[in-house]
Amino acid sequence: MEKFGILGKKMSMTQLPSDMGELKAVTPILVGNNVVSQVKTEAKEGYNSCQIAFGDCKEKSLVKPLVGHLKKNNISLKKHLREIRDMSGLEVGSQIDLALFQVGDKIKITGISKGKGTEGVIKKYHFSRGRMTHGGGYPHRLIGSMGGGRGTNQGIPKGKKMPGRMGNEKVTKQSTIAKVDQENKIIFLYGSVPGSRGSLILLKKNV
């Protein structure tokens, strides 16, 4: 199945009226100018893919190998590059046309979720709080017993839910296109999108 993808920057959530007149929460994605910076073919590399570049920047913001890669293909300097498998039919230097994305299309969204820092098991895994009555002890929000209660292996079992870093992970979800603004190059998606405002978002569509 062939795929198309585009990179964008998350903007602040807003609302759009639906066909029934109800206001629906949407997240606008500013896709700007996406350029194909490299094309791989099955004959040469063993698979089909396109590398897309997004986000104008200065040369000092990029490492030298990346600057050389873009200049070799006559591509203006871009900050973000992503390779999309099974994306074909485009040439190096061609723009990603927003006409490929229509209202009602199912879209797969990939982004980096907001980092929450180090969190306890109550916030991270929705554990219950300890008893607040007399005898409940001082650490009402701690994890409690962690080791094995029987057998010879008294260590902490693998995969045990424990306090630690929360968020700042790669998240993929599905959504539907609510509106496509060709003039301002903005795609509106129903619902929330992983990441903070201004973060990089990858949108992929199967055709």
Side-chain angles (χ1 to χ4, degrees):
M1 182 178 291
E2 193 174 357
K3 297 180 181 179
F4 282 103
I6 195 168
L7 288 170
K9 183 172 66 173
K10 179 181 176 179
M11 304 171 67
S12 298
M13 290 188 70
T14 183
Q15 292 177 325
L16 288 177
S18 64
D19 296 336
M20 304 297 293
E22 299 176 343
L23 290 176
K24 296 289 187 179
V26 295
T27 303
I29 307 296
L30 177 63
V31 296
N33 294 321
N34 277 253
V35 183
V36 177
S37 54
Q38 185 180 8
V39 175
K40 294 184 179 181
T41 61
E42 189 170 358
K44 186 175 181 181
E45 285 85 10
Y47 64 96
N48 295 320
S49 72
C50 286
Q51 183 189 76
I52 55 178
F54 167 76
D56 296 330
C57 65
K58 296 182 179 179
E59 184 171 342
K60 65 179 181 180
S61 302
L62 302 176
V63 295
K64 289 185 178 180
L66 185 55
V67 173
H69 169 68
L70 294 173
K71 288 185 175 181
K72 176 183 177 181
N73 295 326
N74 297 321
I75 305 296
S76 60
L77 298 182
K78 302 288 185 180
K79 187 176 182 180
H80 305 289
L81 278 74
R82 294 292 185 276
E83 181 179 306
I84 301 178
R85 289 270 190 137
D86 301 323
M87 183 173 174
S88 59
L90 298 173
E91 298 180 353
V92 174
S94 59
Q95 300 276 344
I96 305 298
D97 191 1
L98 278 185
L100 299 171
F101 301 89
Q102 303 292 332
V103 174
D105 288 346
K106 300 294 183 181
I107 291 293
K108 186 176 290 186
I109 311 164
T110 302
I112 303 298
S113 62
K114 292 181 180 179
K116 307 290 185 179
T118 301
E119 297 293 348
V121 291
I122 293 181
K123 181 172 183 179
K124 190 174 181 181
Y125 297 111
H126 308 291
F127 279 24
S128 298
R129 186 184 60 182
R131 293 176 60 190
M132 299 299 291
T133 56
H134 178 71
Y138 162 71
H140 303 290
R141 297 180 63 89
L142 292 189
I143 186 173
S145 177
M146 294 180 288
R150 64 185 69 178
T152 57
N153 181 14
Q154 297 298 314
I156 298 177
K158 187 176 181 179
K160 174 68 176 176
K161 295 179 179 179
M162 300 179 67
R165 190 187 73 175
M166 182 178 179
N168 194 30
E169 296 176 338
K170 185 178 180 180
V171 177
T172 299
K173 61 175 293 186
Q174 288 187 339
S175 183
T176 306
I177 296 179
K179 179 182 177 182
V180 179
D181 188 343
Q182 291 274 3
E183 182 179 356
N184 297 312
K185 296 186 177 180
I186 298 176
I187 296 178
F188 293 84
L189 303 173
Y190 282 117
S192 61
V193 169
S196 57
R197 288 191 298 269
S199 60
L200 184 69
I201 302 295
L202 173 61
L203 307 179
K204 290 195 291 186
K205 169 192 170 185
N206 294 332
V207 294

